[in-house]
Amino acid sequence: MSSRRPKRFFAVLSLVLRASGVFAGSFYLHIHPFYAYLMCVNLLTFIAYGFDKRQAVTHHLRVPEVVLHCLALFGGSPAALAAQIIFRHKTRKISFRAVFIGIICLQAAAAWLYWAQR
């Protein structure tokens, strides 16, 4: 892992794991790709929060906050909320919480607009 570019490393790793999970879920398990994506991104988000908590405790290289926010933004917000509660991680930092709440509000508004037009 490159300690000079952790954002790029974790972003690429996240993208590769999501794509692999969607392919595996769609092809092998015959799950609709959208649902396979949601399952994969939520699992990956939960693992990323747990890994970041472990790294914080052991004082090693952390997962950048922007990667955690992107995982939440792209569908992993339920797992991010669960991981924050279970791991007691990223609950005190006000700036992180403000962005996370903004992501939740944005997703709620998008869902409302989607269902309002149906």
Side-chain angles (χ1 to χ4, degrees):
M1 172 174 17
S2 172
S3 61
R4 295 185 335 189
R5 296 191 176 155
K7 289 178 189 172
R8 180 180 294 171
F9 172 77
F10 284 111
V12 170
L13 180 64
S14 166
L15 184 64
V16 168
L17 289 175
R18 281 185 282 163
S20 301
V22 171
F23 175 76
S26 301
F27 188 73
Y28 294 113
L29 301 175
H30 306 293
I31 299 172
H32 190 278
F34 178 71
Y35 299 124
Y37 172 79
L38 286 178
M39 289 177 1
C40 184
V41 74
N42 277 283
L43 178 64
L44 183 60
T45 302
F46 191 82
I47 291 170
Y49 270 82
F51 178 75
D52 189 49
K53 175 65 175 194
R54 173 78 173 154
Q55 295 296 88
V57 170
T58 60
H59 303 290
H60 286 97
L61 185 65
R62 307 268 311 268
V63 178
E65 288 184 358
V66 67
V67 173
L68 295 175
H69 284 314
C70 285
L71 286 169
L73 179 66
F74 295 131
S77 55
L81 183 60
Q84 287 177 8
I85 293 168
I86 291 169
F87 298 126
R88 296 183 197 169
H89 189 51
K90 298 289 186 186
T91 57
R92 292 186 183 179
K93 191 170 183 183
I94 301 299
S95 61
F96 186 89
R97 296 291 289 174
V99 173
F100 182 70
I101 290 169
I103 289 170
I104 298 290
C105 292
L106 181 69
Q107 290 174 337
W112 182 80
L113 286 171
Y114 175 77
W115 287 107
Q117 292 190 7
R118 290 192 109 205

